Amino acid sequence: MRLNKFPSLQWGESFYLISELTTLVKRGVLLSNVLPVFIGFWLALYFSNASFVNHLGVFFLTVIGSTFVIAGALILNNWYDVDIDQLMERTKNRPTVTGTIPLHVVFTLGIILTILGLILLLFTTVEATIYAFVGWFTYVVLYTMWSKRRYTLNTLIGSVSGAVTPLIGWAAIQPASTIVPIVLFLFLFIWQMPHTFAITIRKYEEYQAAGVAMLPVVHGFNVTKRQMVVYVGCLLPLPYYLTPLGTAFVVIATLLNVVWLALSLYGLFTRNDLKWARIMFLFSVNYLMIILILMIIVTLPISS
């Protein structure tokens, strides 16, 4: 009989609240940023000939801590951008816009998660904590609060926050001053530029209505497409700095870079910008997943 105190409506409301919370932390973006943390951690173990089992404690502290910090940054982004989110179709249903979760609760949650995450990371290494804070500060302050609405360089600035994620994982094991973590940073930093530009071209009208100073909105599609070619071209030499990962990785990564460059060049001539941008977006998402998963596959002996 005591179960009657918990009607099905309450369970439904609980699931709805959980769904709203996952929307608040942008679960897709969160996962795509935590994965590189794991990659950095995994590769640091591989190149230092260390055992994953012997570092389980550090692993959980690194992943949970970085997840909290990244989630905190994403939540604060939602809190600050509530005025422009209500003007964009893809963001108008966020709980900050609908009022499902009060803004003061959103702000408090973002700060608490950030502090908890940084504290957990301090139990790994100070260097890993510094990288996490740099990523958080860049995304929340330099990108969200300062440059996003003012300068087209906002994408370049924001890319730093996503690129430091593998450094967090790597630095939890050893200093991230060697060539591999630096190249991982460059991979993610450069990748984010054409990826974000593709999103902006697809959602051009929404960004324009919201007054966000994205490159396609301010300088047009042609300038943006030329820059995308340059950024994708900058990815071409990077696999050759990761030859310790094996020939298969270098070959596959190079082929992916060549295909992406060809798609970028095609964009200079096509008249169907929206269709092309959608193809570029889908390719960029799969490109990153393939590259990161391939890094795990070619180093699988680490698990033994």
Side-chain angles (χ1 to χ4, degrees):
M1 294 297 293
R2 296 178 64 184
L3 291 176
N4 292 334
K5 294 182 179 180
F6 303 95
S8 58
L9 179 61
Q10 291 184 2
W11 285 104
E13 290 175 344
S14 297
F15 283 119
Y16 178 74
L17 179 59
I18 292 173
S19 176
E20 290 291 90
L21 287 172
T22 59
T23 301
L24 187 63
V25 299
K26 305 179 184 179
R27 55 186 177 273
V29 179
L30 178 63
L31 291 173
S32 65
N33 278 274
V34 174
L35 179 57
V37 175
F38 170 74
I39 296 297
F41 187 91
W42 179 272
L43 291 181
L45 289 176
Y46 175 79
F47 284 101
S48 61
N49 294 314
S51 168
F52 182 79
V53 174
N54 292 339
H55 291 79
L56 276 178
V58 177
F59 169 74
F60 285 117
L61 286 169
T62 304
V63 171
I64 296 173
S66 59
T67 298
F68 282 1
V69 173
I70 296 168
L74 294 171
I75 289 172
L76 291 172
N77 171 266
N78 277 337
W79 166 77
Y80 190 84
D81 280 350
V82 63
D83 58 328
I84 61 176
D85 281 347
Q86 61 187 322
L87 302 175
M88 302 177 69
E89 186 67 27
R90 70 186 184 92
T91 58
K92 68 179 184 180
N93 292 320
R94 286 178 177 171
T96 46
V97 177
T98 62
T100 305
I101 304 177
L103 287 179
H104 72 276
V105 174
V106 173
F107 176 79
T108 302
L109 181 61
I111 295 297
I112 290 175
L113 284 175
T114 299
I115 294 173
L116 286 176
L118 292 173
I119 291 174
L120 289 174
L121 286 171
L122 278 173
F123 286 96
T124 61
T125 66
V126 173
E127 184 178 350
T129 310
I130 291 174
Y131 289 134
F133 177 76
V134 168
W136 180 92
F137 183 82
T138 302
Y139 186 74
V140 174
V141 179
L142 299 184
Y143 170 71
T144 300
M145 297 181 177
W146 176 60
S147 65
K148 183 176 181 178
R149 309 178 190 216
R150 295 181 178 89
Y151 310 108
T152 57
L153 286 175
N154 58 19
T155 306
L156 197 69
I157 294 170
S159 293
V160 173
S161 59
V164 299
T165 49
L167 301 184
I168 299 171
W170 186 287
I173 298 298
Q174 59 176 307
S177 56
T178 56
I179 188 64
V180 174
I182 293 173
V183 173
L184 289 177
F185 172 89
L186 291 174
F187 249 120
L188 287 168
F189 178 76
I190 297 170
W191 169 84
Q192 287 176 92
M193 299 301 293
H195 171 76
T196 304
F197 288 155
I199 295 174
T200 310
I201 292 175
R202 292 179 63 212
K203 304 295 182 180
Y204 169 82
E205 293 182 357
E206 294 184 30
Y207 282 102
Q208 185 181 48
V212 181
M214 303 300 286
L215 186 65
V217 175
V218 178
H219 294 293
F221 288 0
N222 289 333
V223 171
T224 303
K225 290 193 286 186
R226 288 196 293 269
Q227 288 203 18
M228 291 170 77
V229 171
V230 173
Y231 282 115
V232 174
C234 289
L235 290 170
L236 287 173
L238 294 186
Y240 298 95
Y241 290 96
L242 296 176
T243 51
L245 293 180
T247 302
F249 173 83
V250 174
V251 170
I252 294 174
T254 300
L255 288 175
L256 288 172
N257 287 337
V258 171
V259 172
W260 200 4
L261 182 61
L263 288 173
S264 303
L265 290 169
Y266 174 73
L268 299 177
F269 305 98
T270 184
R271 295 183 178 179
N272 195 334
D273 292 327
L274 296 182
K275 181 179 179 180
W276 169 80
R278 182 175 182 275
I279 294 173
M280 286 287 286
F281 168 75
L282 292 174
F283 186 89
S284 67
V285 171
N286 288 285
Y287 170 92
L288 183 63
M289 289 300 103
I290 293 172
I291 290 291
L292 295 180
I293 292 173
L294 190 59
M295 288 179 177
I296 297 175
I297 293 175
V298 297
T299 55
L300 274 177
I302 191 176
S303 60
S304 63

